[in-house]
Amino acid sequence: MNINEALRVSLASIAGSKLRSSLTLLGVVIGVLTIIATMSIIRGLNNLVEKEMNQLTADVFQVQRYDQNINFGEQQERKYRPKIGLSEVVALQENANLCKIVAPEVWDWGSTIKYKNDATNPNIVVLGGTPGSMPNNGYNIERGRNLSEQDVRFARPVVILGYAVVQRLFPYRDPLGEEVSVNGKKALVVGIFEEMGSVLNSNADHRVAVPITTFEYWWGKERSWNITVQVVDPNRMEEAIDQTVAVMRVARGLKPGEPNNFDTWNSSELVDTFNDMTKWIKVAAFGIAAIALLVAGVGIMNIMLVTVTERTREIGVRKALGARRSSILSQFLLEAVILTEIGGVIGVGLGIASAYLLGGAANLPIAVPLWSIVVGLVFCSVIGLGFGTWPAWKASRLDPIEALRYE
Amino acid sequence: MSKIIQLENISKIYEIGDIKVPALNGVNATIDEGEYVSIMGPSGSGKSTLMNLIGCLDTPTSGKFMLTGEDVGDMTDNELADIRNRRIGFVFQTFNLLPRANAFHNVELPLIYAGMSKEDRKDRVEAALEKVKLADRMKHKPNELSGGQRQRVAIARALVNKPSLLLADEPTGNLDSTTSFEIMELFGDLHQSGNTIVVVTHEEDIAAHTHRVIRLLDGRISSDELQKPKLVSQTAQAS
């Protein structure tokens, strides 16, 4: 059957019943919209995560006591593991020659910084670190100085303030050389971090840094250290991690065959983990879309059955004029596919629009993945074909004499 | 003269539940090329059944039906569709034009099913509409045309694929008398130019224009007579 003819007839017939067609298409539109919008937002999040992570720590990996695990699915059991401390840091500094900067750090969340009568909210992150912690975490000093080896060695009460803390406590004066209190412990401000902006809503500017020794002097030595490692050559990241694991195993006295009692990860792993996490959101979106499209498919079948009944006489005429069964079949199949594809195209449009709308509200760099458009439209065709087949088959089997007589 | 239609001992029996209803019962007839024949009979006489068989919309229960020398009896569905497309031109009482398509497209339809190229179709459609004097109405849709014009579009559609047989089922049944005469005049012209025409009708007035009248009664041919056709102009004057 001539495709142009089928196309023309289909469009005319759809145009002839606009309200009915558009109601039927609602399900298709919702289904495709869901796919496009969700995938675009996830892609946007993904880009953001990748950009931020890579920018901060492309050549850095981290060693920590427990496994990095931000997966909801598989929470591993927390078997006791010995803390990581100075001996591991020393071992790495001495033996891991692929590691350039080995910097231990500890963290405290939810501190309050006070200056005179002013205080921040108790949402400040305190990093206890070494000079190397700053480059390893991608923190740049805007003014003043970094922590020094001496600060660490003598556990000096010095602090570097994050941008938001400065904004809050020192709106009109220079904080350098002033004395603030970090959760009640007095410290001298020696430096200020550059503004970082927010990374996925965790505000990187709400933080201060003190020497790791000072941190432990103030709040005790219970915490296990994390060790950030900047590698000599980013292209040999894997090798450096392998070397580090070997050194760590020796330092922690593990026998061959014993599993590691520590974990290493880097930013690309974090991106992987993030992808792992969003996988389920994608699956859920596809689930919703599939249900919407399935319901839409039933609607399509219904409307096609009505169309076939309404146009029984036309089918009879076409058969009398020499249309084969296959011509009638393909005509109605094509009509079903065109109908769903119209819905699909509208769904793509609305999906992109709503993704940008939501992305704009959430300050996300939205990116519409081409494959999601392709998948959405292919889905539509499959639905159209799947649910259009029976009505089209019915049409093709009509007896021309009966059909011509149909009122 | 070559035979267009050969009916040999044709029977058609409908089974309604357990009851067998014979619609045609041993019909024999031959129609030659260039003939202008009317098939008449009261309702229930089997004339619709006969028309469906001649139109290749249906196949007989028994007997042999040859259309232009081809045995239609054991053709497949697709072969029947192709035969209808190439050999038969249908004209219906209710015109049966596609309402959403314009005159040009309605006439074009059989050519599309014949798989003809777009350029060739254009020429043929224009020639056919020219023949029924509707060249200036090509872009009009059926609801923008009068009844007579609609039937002329339908006749153009029937002629466009150069069929061996023009088969008309009560072609004037839905038309007023003036328009009916117009249509019968057109049939007369088409016959003059060599077309074979079979008209199924129950109106003596219409049958009077044909050269041969086959009358059916209870599924059998009751009479098959040649006659001198009444000229359309005479009828028009008489009324």
Side-chain angles (χ1 to χ4, degrees), chain A residues 71-106:
Chain A
N71 207 335
F72 340 103
E74 15 180 307
Q75 195 73 39
Q76 93 274 19
E77 56 171 315
R78 282 220 155 186
K79 210 173 144 193
Y80 176 78
R81 291 173 169 186
K83 286 186 283 190
I84 294 175
L86 186 61
S87 57
E88 284 92 337
V89 175
V90 171
L92 285 174
Q93 278 168 340
E94 283 176 356
N95 301 318
N97 62 354
L98 294 171
C99 303
K100 190 159 72 182
I101 305 175
V102 178
E105 61 187 33
V106 285

mmCIF file of all heavy atoms in Angstrom, chain A residues 71-106:
data_model
loop_
_atom_site.group_PDB
_atom_site.id
_atom_site.type_symbol
_atom_site.label_atom_id
_atom_site.label_comp_id
_atom_site.label_asym_id
_atom_site.label_seq_id
_atom_site.Cartn_x
_atom_site.Cartn_y
_atom_site.Cartn_z
ATOM 1 N N ASN A 71 24.776 3.755 48.735
ATOM 2 C CA ASN A 71 23.733 2.991 48.050
ATOM 3 C C ASN A 71 22.638 2.644 49.054
ATOM 4 O O ASN A 71 22.932 2.154 50.124
ATOM 5 C CB ASN A 71 24.364 1.714 47.512
ATOM 6 C CG ASN A 71 23.625 1.217 46.318
ATOM 7 O OD1 ASN A 71 22.446 1.523 46.179
ATOM 8 N ND2 ASN A 71 24.296 0.461 45.490
ATOM 9 N N PHE A 72 21.383 2.907 48.687
ATOM 10 C CA PHE A 72 20.326 2.511 49.645
ATOM 11 C C PHE A 72 20.167 1.004 49.707
ATOM 12 O O PHE A 72 19.777 0.453 50.700
ATOM 13 C CB PHE A 72 18.928 3.053 49.320
ATOM 14 C CG PHE A 72 18.870 4.229 48.429
ATOM 15 C CD1 PHE A 72 18.524 4.081 47.097
ATOM 16 C CD2 PHE A 72 19.120 5.498 48.929
ATOM 17 C CE1 PHE A 72 18.449 5.186 46.287
ATOM 18 C CE2 PHE A 72 19.034 6.595 48.116
ATOM 19 C CZ PHE A 72 18.697 6.440 46.792
ATOM 20 N N GLY A 73 20.403 0.376 48.581
ATOM 21 C CA GLY A 73 20.083 -1.036 48.425
ATOM 22 C C GLY A 73 20.815 -1.923 49.415
ATOM 23 O O GLY A 73 20.226 -2.486 50.338
ATOM 24 N N GLU A 74 22.120 -2.020 49.231
ATOM 25 C CA GLU A 74 22.876 -3.057 49.913
ATOM 26 C C GLU A 74 23.726 -2.442 51.020
ATOM 27 O O GLU A 74 24.853 -2.046 50.788
ATOM 28 C CB GLU A 74 23.756 -3.759 48.879
ATOM 29 C CG GLU A 74 23.816 -2.906 47.645
ATOM 30 C CD GLU A 74 24.637 -3.428 46.501
ATOM 31 O OE1 GLU A 74 25.807 -3.757 46.724
ATOM 32 O OE2 GLU A 74 24.086 -3.441 45.402
ATOM 33 N N GLN A 75 23.174 -2.366 52.191
ATOM 34 C CA GLN A 75 23.903 -1.850 53.341
ATOM 35 C C GLN A 75 24.746 -2.994 53.887
ATOM 36 O O GLN A 75 24.205 -3.984 54.363
ATOM 37 C CB GLN A 75 22.908 -1.337 54.391
ATOM 38 C CG GLN A 75 23.523 -0.466 55.439
ATOM 39 C CD GLN A 75 23.895 0.910 54.904
ATOM 40 O OE1 GLN A 75 23.188 1.490 54.120
ATOM 41 N NE2 GLN A 75 25.044 1.415 55.325
ATOM 42 N N GLN A 76 26.074 -2.855 53.796
ATOM 43 C CA GLN A 76 26.887 -3.974 54.297
ATOM 44 C C GLN A 76 26.945 -3.921 55.817
ATOM 45 O O GLN A 76 26.771 -2.875 56.412
ATOM 46 C CB GLN A 76 28.289 -3.936 53.669
ATOM 47 C CG GLN A 76 29.349 -3.202 54.469
ATOM 48 C CD GLN A 76 29.362 -1.713 54.183
ATOM 49 O OE1 GLN A 76 28.397 -1.167 53.667
ATOM 50 N NE2 GLN A 76 30.429 -1.055 54.548
ATOM 51 N N GLU A 77 27.184 -5.065 56.405
ATOM 52 C CA GLU A 77 27.241 -5.092 57.865
ATOM 53 C C GLU A 77 28.501 -4.354 58.315
ATOM 54 O O GLU A 77 29.546 -4.414 57.685
ATOM 55 C CB GLU A 77 27.233 -6.536 58.361
ATOM 56 C CG GLU A 77 28.361 -7.366 57.777
ATOM 57 C CD GLU A 77 28.474 -8.725 58.431
ATOM 58 O OE1 GLU A 77 28.415 -8.764 59.664
ATOM 59 O OE2 GLU A 77 28.601 -9.717 57.700
ATOM 60 N N ARG A 78 28.367 -3.680 59.440
ATOM 61 C CA ARG A 78 29.483 -2.890 59.926
ATOM 62 C C ARG A 78 30.277 -3.687 60.945
ATOM 63 O O ARG A 78 30.086 -3.558 62.143
ATOM 64 C CB ARG A 78 28.958 -1.591 60.538
ATOM 65 C CG ARG A 78 28.568 -0.554 59.500
ATOM 66 C CD ARG A 78 29.004 0.798 59.957
ATOM 67 N NE ARG A 78 29.192 1.686 58.820
ATOM 68 C CZ ARG A 78 29.690 2.919 58.961
ATOM 69 N NH1 ARG A 78 30.020 3.384 60.140
ATOM 70 N NH2 ARG A 78 29.854 3.679 57.894
ATOM 71 N N LYS A 79 31.131 -4.497 60.420
ATOM 72 C CA LYS A 79 32.008 -5.272 61.285
ATOM 73 C C LYS A 79 33.068 -4.327 61.812
ATOM 74 O O LYS A 79 33.516 -3.424 61.117
ATOM 75 C CB LYS A 79 32.660 -6.388 60.453
ATOM 76 C CG LYS A 79 32.978 -7.624 61.230
ATOM 77 C CD LYS A 79 33.460 -8.702 60.270
ATOM 78 C CE LYS A 79 34.555 -9.527 60.919
ATOM 79 N NZ LYS A 79 35.240 -10.348 59.928
ATOM 80 N N TYR A 80 33.485 -4.553 63.052
ATOM 81 C CA TYR A 80 34.478 -3.642 63.615
ATOM 82 C C TYR A 80 35.776 -3.691 62.821
ATOM 83 O O TYR A 80 36.250 -4.753 62.429
ATOM 84 C CB TYR A 80 34.769 -3.988 65.077
ATOM 85 C CG TYR A 80 35.858 -3.115 65.635
ATOM 86 C CD1 TYR A 80 35.573 -1.805 66.021
ATOM 87 C CD2 TYR A 80 37.174 -3.562 65.703
ATOM 88 C CE1 TYR A 80 36.581 -0.976 66.479
ATOM 89 C CE2 TYR A 80 38.184 -2.734 66.163
ATOM 90 C CZ TYR A 80 37.885 -1.436 66.555
ATOM 91 O OH TYR A 80 38.881 -0.610 66.995
ATOM 92 N N ARG A 81 36.324 -2.510 62.586
ATOM 93 C CA ARG A 81 37.622 -2.427 61.943
ATOM 94 C C ARG A 81 38.513 -1.494 62.759
ATOM 95 O O ARG A 81 38.009 -0.487 63.282
ATOM 96 C CB ARG A 81 37.483 -1.859 60.533
ATOM 97 C CG ARG A 81 36.789 -2.805 59.577
ATOM 98 C CD ARG A 81 36.525 -2.118 58.263
ATOM 99 N NE ARG A 81 36.097 -3.075 57.252
ATOM 100 C CZ ARG A 81 35.919 -2.756 55.981
ATOM 101 N NH1 ARG A 81 36.100 -1.510 55.581
ATOM 102 N NH2 ARG A 81 35.547 -3.678 55.117
ATOM 103 N N PRO A 82 39.801 -1.809 62.827
ATOM 104 C CA PRO A 82 40.685 -0.900 63.573
ATOM 105 C C PRO A 82 40.723 0.476 62.916
ATOM 106 O O PRO A 82 40.566 0.606 61.707
ATOM 107 C CB PRO A 82 42.055 -1.570 63.487
ATOM 108 C CG PRO A 82 41.893 -2.818 62.708
ATOM 109 C CD PRO A 82 40.483 -2.960 62.273
ATOM 110 N N LYS A 83 40.895 1.479 63.744
ATOM 111 C CA LYS A 83 40.953 2.842 63.236
ATOM 112 C C LYS A 83 42.180 3.033 62.358
ATOM 113 O O LYS A 83 43.175 2.323 62.473
ATOM 114 C CB LYS A 83 41.013 3.833 64.413
ATOM 115 C CG LYS A 83 39.681 3.984 65.115
ATOM 116 C CD LYS A 83 39.739 5.052 66.168
ATOM 117 C CE LYS A 83 40.447 4.523 67.406
ATOM 118 N NZ LYS A 83 40.314 5.455 68.563
ATOM 119 N N ILE A 84 42.091 4.032 61.494
ATOM 120 C CA ILE A 84 43.254 4.428 60.719
ATOM 121 C C ILE A 84 43.902 5.604 61.458
ATOM 122 O O ILE A 84 43.200 6.508 61.924
ATOM 123 C CB ILE A 84 42.847 4.845 59.293
ATOM 124 C CG1 ILE A 84 42.298 3.627 58.546
ATOM 125 C CG2 ILE A 84 44.014 5.459 58.539
ATOM 126 C CD1 ILE A 84 41.749 3.942 57.176
ATOM 127 N N GLY A 85 45.198 5.574 61.562
ATOM 128 C CA GLY A 85 45.862 6.642 62.307
ATOM 129 C C GLY A 85 47.234 6.973 61.745
ATOM 130 O O GLY A 85 47.516 6.716 60.560
ATOM 131 N N LEU A 86 48.072 7.512 62.615
ATOM 132 C CA LEU A 86 49.357 8.053 62.187
ATOM 133 C C LEU A 86 50.247 7.004 61.521
ATOM 134 O O LEU A 86 50.927 7.295 60.535
ATOM 135 C CB LEU A 86 50.068 8.667 63.404
ATOM 136 C CG LEU A 86 51.375 9.400 63.100
ATOM 137 C CD1 LEU A 86 51.139 10.566 62.160
ATOM 138 C CD2 LEU A 86 52.039 9.876 64.399
ATOM 139 N N SER A 87 50.206 5.771 62.030
ATOM 140 C CA SER A 87 51.147 4.771 61.504
ATOM 141 C C SER A 87 50.901 4.518 60.018
ATOM 142 O O SER A 87 51.830 4.381 59.234
ATOM 143 C CB SER A 87 51.045 3.471 62.286
ATOM 144 O OG SER A 87 49.709 2.991 62.229
ATOM 145 N N GLU A 88 49.637 4.482 59.614
ATOM 146 C CA GLU A 88 49.323 4.272 58.196
ATOM 147 C C GLU A 88 49.784 5.461 57.360
ATOM 148 O O GLU A 88 50.315 5.286 56.262
ATOM 149 C CB GLU A 88 47.813 4.065 57.994
ATOM 150 C CG GLU A 88 47.309 2.694 58.406
ATOM 151 C CD GLU A 88 46.821 2.656 59.840
ATOM 152 O OE1 GLU A 88 47.237 3.514 60.646
ATOM 153 O OE2 GLU A 88 46.009 1.765 60.152
ATOM 154 N N VAL A 89 49.593 6.666 57.894
ATOM 155 C CA VAL A 89 50.004 7.861 57.156
ATOM 156 C C VAL A 89 51.512 7.828 56.944
ATOM 157 O O VAL A 89 52.003 8.042 55.825
ATOM 158 C CB VAL A 89 49.590 9.145 57.912
ATOM 159 C CG1 VAL A 89 50.141 10.377 57.194
ATOM 160 C CG2 VAL A 89 48.089 9.219 58.051
ATOM 161 N N VAL A 90 52.235 7.523 57.980
ATOM 162 C CA VAL A 90 53.695 7.483 57.890
ATOM 163 C C VAL A 90 54.116 6.411 56.896
ATOM 164 O O VAL A 90 54.981 6.633 56.045
ATOM 165 C CB VAL A 90 54.316 7.241 59.286
ATOM 166 C CG1 VAL A 90 55.824 6.981 59.171
ATOM 167 C CG2 VAL A 90 54.042 8.424 60.194
ATOM 168 N N ALA A 91 53.471 5.243 56.984
ATOM 169 C CA ALA A 91 53.821 4.149 56.072
ATOM 170 C C ALA A 91 53.627 4.571 54.625
ATOM 171 O O ALA A 91 54.467 4.295 53.765
ATOM 172 C CB ALA A 91 52.964 2.918 56.383
ATOM 173 N N LEU A 92 52.494 5.243 54.354
ATOM 174 C CA LEU A 92 52.228 5.674 52.984
ATOM 175 C C LEU A 92 53.239 6.722 52.537
ATOM 176 O O LEU A 92 53.754 6.674 51.429
ATOM 177 C CB LEU A 92 50.807 6.242 52.871
ATOM 178 C CG LEU A 92 49.674 5.213 52.869
ATOM 179 C CD1 LEU A 92 48.328 5.908 52.895
ATOM 180 C CD2 LEU A 92 49.773 4.308 51.651
ATOM 181 N N GLN A 93 53.518 7.674 53.434
ATOM 182 C CA GLN A 93 54.463 8.742 53.063
ATOM 183 C C GLN A 93 55.835 8.155 52.758
ATOM 184 O O GLN A 93 56.526 8.621 51.862
ATOM 185 C CB GLN A 93 54.568 9.771 54.199
ATOM 186 C CG GLN A 93 53.421 10.778 54.137
ATOM 187 C CD GLN A 93 53.305 11.631 55.381
ATOM 188 O OE1 GLN A 93 53.826 11.268 56.451
ATOM 189 N NE2 GLN A 93 52.617 12.755 55.266
ATOM 190 N N GLU A 94 56.182 7.094 53.460
ATOM 191 C CA GLU A 94 57.528 6.550 53.276
ATOM 192 C C GLU A 94 57.598 5.553 52.122
ATOM 193 O O GLU A 94 58.595 5.486 51.419
ATOM 194 C CB GLU A 94 58.001 5.877 54.578
ATOM 195 C CG GLU A 94 58.421 6.926 55.596
ATOM 196 C CD GLU A 94 58.810 6.305 56.925
ATOM 197 O OE1 GLU A 94 58.676 5.065 57.070
ATOM 198 O OE2 GLU A 94 59.235 7.065 57.807
ATOM 199 N N ASN A 95 56.520 4.790 51.911
ATOM 200 C CA ASN A 95 56.625 3.657 50.992
ATOM 201 C C ASN A 95 55.866 3.766 49.673
ATOM 202 O O ASN A 95 56.173 3.047 48.739
ATOM 203 C CB ASN A 95 56.179 2.373 51.699
ATOM 204 C CG ASN A 95 57.030 2.102 52.922
ATOM 205 O OD1 ASN A 95 58.245 2.262 52.885
ATOM 206 N ND2 ASN A 95 56.370 1.740 54.009
ATOM 207 N N ALA A 96 54.860 4.628 49.651
ATOM 208 C CA ALA A 96 54.058 4.679 48.420
ATOM 209 C C ALA A 96 54.587 5.788 47.529
ATOM 210 O O ALA A 96 54.205 6.957 47.676
ATOM 211 C CB ALA A 96 52.588 4.902 48.772
ATOM 212 N N ASN A 97 55.450 5.411 46.588
ATOM 213 C CA ASN A 97 56.122 6.466 45.812
ATOM 214 C C ASN A 97 55.255 7.005 44.676
ATOM 215 O O ASN A 97 55.620 7.940 44.008
ATOM 216 C CB ASN A 97 57.465 5.970 45.284
ATOM 217 C CG ASN A 97 57.290 4.787 44.350
ATOM 218 O OD1 ASN A 97 56.170 4.289 44.192
ATOM 219 N ND2 ASN A 97 58.374 4.342 43.752
ATOM 220 N N LEU A 98 54.100 6.382 44.437
ATOM 221 C CA LEU A 98 53.188 6.937 43.425
ATOM 222 C C LEU A 98 52.273 7.998 44.024
ATOM 223 O O LEU A 98 51.483 8.609 43.319
ATOM 224 C CB LEU A 98 52.352 5.816 42.798
ATOM 225 C CG LEU A 98 53.141 4.796 41.967
ATOM 226 C CD1 LEU A 98 52.257 3.618 41.592
ATOM 227 C CD2 LEU A 98 53.712 5.453 40.718
ATOM 228 N N CYS A 99 52.370 8.168 45.338
ATOM 229 C CA CYS A 99 51.513 9.138 46.030
ATOM 230 C C CYS A 99 52.326 10.388 46.329
ATOM 231 O O CYS A 99 53.381 10.329 46.939
ATOM 232 C CB CYS A 99 50.982 8.543 47.334
ATOM 233 S SG CYS A 99 50.087 7.013 47.053
ATOM 234 N N LYS A 100 51.782 11.531 45.866
ATOM 235 C CA LYS A 100 52.521 12.780 46.025
ATOM 236 C C LYS A 100 52.227 13.406 47.391
ATOM 237 O O LYS A 100 53.133 13.688 48.150
ATOM 238 C CB LYS A 100 52.138 13.746 44.896
ATOM 239 C CG LYS A 100 53.032 14.975 44.829
ATOM 240 C CD LYS A 100 52.975 15.616 43.459
ATOM 241 C CE LYS A 100 51.639 16.319 43.243
ATOM 242 N NZ LYS A 100 51.546 16.904 41.892
ATOM 243 N N ILE A 101 50.948 13.650 47.645
ATOM 244 C CA ILE A 101 50.578 14.274 48.918
ATOM 245 C C ILE A 101 49.698 13.299 49.695
ATOM 246 O O ILE A 101 48.628 12.906 49.209
ATOM 247 C CB ILE A 101 49.799 15.585 48.696
ATOM 248 C CG1 ILE A 101 50.602 16.544 47.816
ATOM 249 C CG2 ILE A 101 49.456 16.227 50.031
ATOM 250 C CD1 ILE A 101 49.840 17.812 47.460
ATOM 251 N N VAL A 102 50.140 12.907 50.875
ATOM 252 C CA VAL A 102 49.345 12.028 51.738
ATOM 253 C C VAL A 102 48.876 12.871 52.908
ATOM 254 O O VAL A 102 49.688 13.340 53.698
ATOM 255 C CB VAL A 102 50.175 10.830 52.229
ATOM 256 C CG1 VAL A 102 49.351 9.953 53.165
ATOM 257 C CG2 VAL A 102 50.691 10.029 51.043
ATOM 258 N N ALA A 103 47.582 13.125 52.968
ATOM 259 C CA ALA A 103 47.077 14.048 53.980
ATOM 260 C C ALA A 103 45.952 13.414 54.794
ATOM 261 O O ALA A 103 44.900 13.117 54.250
ATOM 262 C CB ALA A 103 46.573 15.321 53.307
ATOM 263 N N PRO A 104 46.190 13.188 56.086
ATOM 264 C CA PRO A 104 45.115 12.659 56.931
ATOM 265 C C PRO A 104 44.131 13.752 57.301
ATOM 266 O O PRO A 104 44.490 14.937 57.315
ATOM 267 C CB PRO A 104 45.866 12.158 58.155
ATOM 268 C CG PRO A 104 47.053 13.044 58.257
ATOM 269 C CD PRO A 104 47.423 13.421 56.850
ATOM 270 N N GLU A 105 42.918 13.359 57.568
ATOM 271 C CA GLU A 105 41.917 14.355 57.979
ATOM 272 C C GLU A 105 40.832 13.697 58.812
ATOM 273 O O GLU A 105 40.570 12.493 58.693
ATOM 274 C CB GLU A 105 41.304 15.046 56.752
ATOM 275 C CG GLU A 105 40.587 14.071 55.833
ATOM 276 C CD GLU A 105 40.115 14.713 54.544
ATOM 277 O OE1 GLU A 105 40.796 15.621 54.046
ATOM 278 O OE2 GLU A 105 39.062 14.284 54.041
ATOM 279 N N VAL A 106 40.243 14.500 59.676
ATOM 280 C CA VAL A 106 39.063 14.072 60.431
ATOM 281 C C VAL A 106 38.015 15.153 60.269
ATOM 282 O O VAL A 106 38.337 16.300 59.966
ATOM 283 C CB VAL A 106 39.362 13.834 61.921
ATOM 284 C CG1 VAL A 106 40.118 12.538 62.119
ATOM 285 C CG2 VAL A 106 40.124 15.002 62.515
#
